[in-house]
Amino acid sequence: QVQLVQSGGGLVQAGGSLRLSCAASGGSLSNYAMDWFRQAPGKDRDFVACITNSGSSAVYTDSVKGRFTISRDNAKNTVYLQMNSLEPEDTAVYYCTSRRSGYCYGQYKYWGQGTQVTVSP
């Protein structure tokens, strides 16, 4: 059973940066696309970014384009989300998830436990 363990959240001032990590244990992620989602209080869980299994392609929601970068290191079985120029609107619990294929479409398979990101004005 694959487990996704997240780290790297915290409190940061607006304009600051954070990097989230999502490490897998119990199996390899190298065959699967990986996503980041986020859920703000009282809101739905929303898509943030996806990266293909090879890391050759990524997609982002419009609100984070140019500020966030998703990347992966298959040798370390880890996916990252580098978040720059953070805004208070980025405050949410962030989740990593694996797809059932190597591409950024289709169903999700495993979810991380979530990590809080809080951006103060």
Side-chain angles (χ1 to χ4, degrees):
Q1 178 75 9
V2 172
Q3 286 189 317
L4 302 180
V5 179
Q6 298 178 221
S7 61
L11 173 64
V12 65
Q13 287 188 326
S17 298
L18 285 173
R19 188 176 81 155
L20 306 183
S21 298
C22 174
S25 62
S28 173
L29 295 178
S30 61
N31 291 329
Y32 305 111
M34 297 292 296
D35 292 44
W36 287 95
F37 277 70
R38 64 187 179 184
Q39 186 167 21
K43 296 189 176 181
D44 294 334
R45 190 173 297 187
D46 293 329
F47 170 81
V48 175
C50 178
I51 188 167
T52 55
N53 61 327
S54 66
S56 61
S57 181
V59 292
Y60 299 89
T61 191
D62 286 347
S63 62
V64 308
K65 284 180 181 177
R67 301 189 298 121
F68 290 12
T69 303
I70 188 172
S71 63
R72 66 191 298 158
D73 185 338
N74 284 340
K76 294 183 178 180
N77 228 13
T78 302
V79 177
Y80 305 96
L81 185 68
Q82 178 67 44
M83 303 184 294
N84 299 329
S85 301
L86 282 160
E87 303 168 353
E89 293 74 21
D90 296 316
T91 295
V93 177
Y94 284 70
Y95 298 90
C96 64
T97 181
S98 65
R99 300 257 184 177
R100 291 185 177 271
S101 76
Y103 302 99
C104 291
Y105 60 81
Q107 295 180 325
Y108 301 97
K109 190 168 185 178
Y110 302 111
W111 288 85
Q113 83 276 16
T115 186
Q116 178 70 45
V117 171
T118 303
V119 184
S120 62

